[in-house]
Structures are given as structure tokens and as C-alpha cells.
Amino acid sequence: MADYDLVFEGGGAKGSCFVGALQALFAAGHAPRRLVGTSAGAITATLLAAGYTPEEMRDAVNEKLPNGKPRFSSFMDPPLAIDFSQQTLDTSDTMGVLKDVKLPGLPNFEAVDKLLIKGLMESQLYRQLFCFVECGGLFAGNKFVEWLREKLKAKGIDQDIALEAFAAKTKQDLSLVVSDTSDMEMLILNQRTAPQCPVVWAVRMSMSIPFVWREVEWQQAWGPYLGRDKAGNKIVDGGVLSNFPIRYIDDEPAEYPEVKEVMGDTVASDAGTLGLLIDETLKVPGAGGDDRKGVLGHLRTVERVSRLVDTMTKARDNADIRRYEKYICRLPAYGYGTTEFGMAPERLKALIDAGHQAMETFLARK
């Protein structure tokens, strides 16, 4: 039996395969030491650090809404009018257009422009388009934040706990990967680099797939990152820059200063390295048909964005994947979509079961 440093790849809805893989890993008597995750991997790593068992995570991904739909499907929540500040409205491209347009019979007053944009905000379709243009994504992500806060509370953890306090309470070394589009750099958020950043918002930033969920603005109250002010910076999905940062748990900090800066002095070789990689080339037995069509609603733009996201996240980290191949457990996900959060129960079960079998096969070769 051994402890492992685990890295979880990003992959949106495909990340449900981690549940089955962890069930097999834990059943074999292994335990995690450090946890690193991007996007869906950040969610899994955080739940593990908070004390969730694989069985409890399986229950979570199978939760249903009152209408019978998967609760995960609610994460694609259209923004509400109250989600946009008055400043965002006043400085928006829409307001700029209204100021330029001369409407017959109406004075070109600021009050009229504000009334018009308020009327436009009554339309869900317009709010989504506004959010896409002004905030970088079609969906708000508020339901996900509510869900994760609920999960932390269920384990006796403050819903607004920061990374430093979270590490002290759980005794877990958790690192979450995000992309700072303002400073154009990858950030690895943990108790060493961003101690005051709330755990919930660190995860929300990591899973903020560009064009799908609105980007997150780093708040002044979250403090600096490695001593550098990030207030006002726009943060999105970590997969944009590194969807599978396995080198940060395998490279020794004594040899790589950039690893030591974010991961501390922990000796990597004192635990095993295990990367959980979502492999879209491996078929999932019993997966059935492809549920992706129409998952994101009636906007044709969304389907285009979904395909773009799938392509983008597959293209990252190829050099590291080849370098660390012997430490990687490949989890089947062929035909599953990054934003397929409303998949049918039997399709979800097939994905989880495939992850379980893949981990059993991987461990048998060790």
C-alpha cells in the first residue's frame, strides 16, 4: 500500500470518471498525500481534501433536481439581471450603441438609454448574450458556487473558508490551477501562494471554461498571489494554460525553483506520483448514444463553443504526458462532452464504471 500525490486533469462533465477511479484506488488500500486539480479535477481534489469518500462523491454526481434532471445540469445557469452591476451596464457595449443610435421621436437622454437596457435585461436570451460579450461566458455559474458551499458545510467546513485556513483544518495539501488572462500566466492556488483566496472561488475560477461560464474577477479581499497584487484581474479555467500539471507533483523542489515556489519543500519521491488523465480516445463500455446535442440549450453559438472547448483542452500538456506516461492512469471518455452535465443516468454510470476498471487495470500493472 502506498500514498500518492494525485493530479486530476480538467475535463468538465467527463470528470465524473474520477469517482470510479478513486473507488478502485481506495479499495486497493492507497491514500492521497498531495492533491492538484484543474477544472473538473479541481472539484474532485477539493471534495477529497474536504473529507468526501469516493462513494459520497458518487452520490453527489447522481443528485437530482425536483424535476428529475441531474443537479449538475443546473450548473449551466443563465445569468439574472441582478448578476450585473450598474457599472457593468453603464460601461457595456450595449450602452455605447444606445448612446450612438438616434431613435425617432425620442430624445437621446441617458435616462432613456438606461430604461432601454433595463428592458433588454428582461430577456434571458439577451442576458446570456450580454454575459458572453461583457463577462466572457454564457452562463453565470452561481448554482455551482451554491452547490460547493453546500458540500463544504456538510463536512463542517465554513462555506467561505480561505485556502490557508482550509489547509489547517483539513490537514490536506490542495492546489488548484487557474489562468490569469490579465497577466497571461498560470496560477497554482494553495495555502502558500494565495492564502486568503476563498476555496469556493478558487474552484470556481479553475472550472470557468472560457465562453461557457463568465470569467471571475479577482477581489481585493482575496489578497495577493505570491506577493503580487491581482485585484481586478480576469481569471478563467486553468486548462487554458495547463490542464494536467503533473510535473508539479513529480519534479523535486530542490532541483526546480519554480516548483518550490508554489509547492514548497515537500520531497516528491517520498510518495508515488499518479496522474488521472481523461482519455477521449478510449471507448466507454455501455455508454450508449451521445447526449451532447441540445445540452446547453437552443443557442447555436453554445454548440460551437462546446466543440472549441473540447479541442482546446485536448491539445495541452502533451509533452508532460509523454514524459510521465508510466505514472498516468488513462480514464476512458470517448464520445463524452466537456459540457455534458445533463447526461442520462445509465450513461453516467458507464463513465464511472469505466474509470473504476481503468484504475484496477493500472494498479494491477504496478
Side-chain angles (χ1 to χ4, degrees):
M1 310 307 173
D3 288 345
Y4 283 99
D5 289 335
L6 303 180
V7 59
F8 298 90
E9 188 191 20
K14 294 173 287 188
S16 294
C17 64
F18 294 141
V19 174
L22 289 171
Q23 286 179 315
L25 183 69
F26 281 43
H30 302 297
R33 183 180 65 161
R34 294 184 293 176
L35 300 163
V36 180
T38 301
S39 194
I43 300 171
T44 303
T46 300
L47 291 178
L48 264 184
Y52 279 83
T53 66
E55 289 69 30
E56 289 173 324
M57 280 190 266
R58 186 166 189 147
D59 290 341
V61 300
N62 279 292
E63 285 181 36
K64 296 289 190 294
L65 296 167
N67 62 8
K69 291 183 178 181
R71 188 174 180 189
F72 274 22
S73 67
S74 71
F75 295 170
M76 315 301 287
D77 51 329
L80 305 174
I82 59 174
D83 290 330
F84 306 108
S85 67
Q86 190 60 51
Q87 181 182 7
T88 299
L89 296 176
D90 291 344
T91 59
S92 67
D93 287 342
T94 299
M95 185 62 78
V97 170
L98 291 174
K99 287 179 179 178
D100 289 340
V101 172
K102 312 300 182 188
L103 295 176
L106 286 177
N108 191 26
F109 293 151
E110 183 177 347
V112 174
D113 294 336
K114 288 188 176 183
L115 186 63
L116 288 171
I117 199 170
K118 182 178 179 181
L120 288 170
M121 282 293 167
E122 295 298 318
S123 165
Q124 176 181 306
L125 175 58
Y126 179 77
R127 291 196 303 271
Q128 286 192 267
L129 293 174
F130 182 92
C131 194
F132 184 88
V133 172
E134 301 294 338
C135 306
L138 288 158
F139 300 99
N142 296 332
K143 293 297 183 182
F144 170 77
V145 171
E146 291 174 11
W147 176 83
L148 186 54
R149 281 181 167 148
E150 175 188 304
K151 296 307 171 192
L152 292 180
K153 183 179 179 181
K155 288 296 181 180
I157 299 172
D158 186 278
Q159 299 173 73
D160 297 310
I161 195 169
L163 286 163
E164 185 175 51
F166 182 82
K169 181 175 181 61
T170 63
K171 303 298 188 287
Q172 295 290 329
D173 192 328
L174 172 69
S175 297
L176 308 174
V177 183
V178 305
S179 300
D180 181 346
T181 62
S182 298
D183 289 339
M184 294 181 288
E185 66 172 331
M186 180 178 75
L187 311 181
I188 297 181
L189 308 179
N190 55 41
Q191 70 270 28
R192 293 170 291 272
T193 63
Q196 299 311 309
C197 180
V199 171
V200 166
W201 284 104
V203 180
R204 171 65 180 81
M205 288 187 281
S206 186
M207 56 80 73
S208 187
I209 298 173
F211 313 130
V212 177
W213 283 288
R214 66 181 297 176
E215 61 200 9
V216 178
E217 184 174 302
W218 190 283
Q219 301 299 303
Q220 188 73 51
W222 299 352
Y225 174 83
L226 288 175
R228 305 197 303 274
D229 184 20
K230 293 289 183 180
N233 283 19
K234 302 299 190 292
I235 314 296
V236 301
D237 190 334
V240 171
L241 294 177
S242 184
N243 211 30
F244 193 61
I246 191 170
R247 65 178 297 261
Y248 283 90
I249 60 169
D250 193 70
D251 288 352
E252 296 292 356
E255 300 174 28
Y256 297 91
E258 69 275 18
V259 173
K260 180 177 181 179
E261 184 179 40
V262 297
M263 300 303 291
D265 293 315
T266 300
V267 178
S269 58
D270 285 349
T273 295
L274 177 54
L276 286 82
L277 180 74
I278 299 170
D279 192 331
E280 295 88 351
T281 68
L282 298 179
K283 291 187 176 181
V284 176
D290 188 335
D291 283 354
R292 282 179 289 177
K293 186 177 181 181
V295 165
L296 300 183
H298 59 280
L299 292 174
R300 289 190 298 272
T301 301
V302 180
E303 289 302 324
R304 296 190 185 101
V305 168
S306 179
R307 290 194 296 270
L308 171 63
V309 168
D310 281 336
T311 301
M312 178 182 68
T313 56
K314 289 173 187 173
R316 302 294 175 180
D317 303 310
N318 285 336
D320 280 349
I321 289 171
R322 289 190 292 269
R323 177 184 173 191
Y324 298 102
E325 185 63 43
K326 66 180 180 180
Y327 302 127
I328 294 173
C329 176
R330 292 178 173 270
L331 308 176
Y334 176 81
Y336 285 78
T338 300
T339 52
E340 193 184 341
F341 290 99
M343 67 181 78
E346 60 274 11
R347 188 166 162 80
L348 175 61
K349 181 180 184 301
L351 181 65
I352 294 173
D353 290 348
H356 192 288
Q357 182 58 55
M359 180 59 74
E360 286 187 337
T361 301
F362 174 82
L363 294 174
R365 296 197 306 261
K366 299 294 286 182

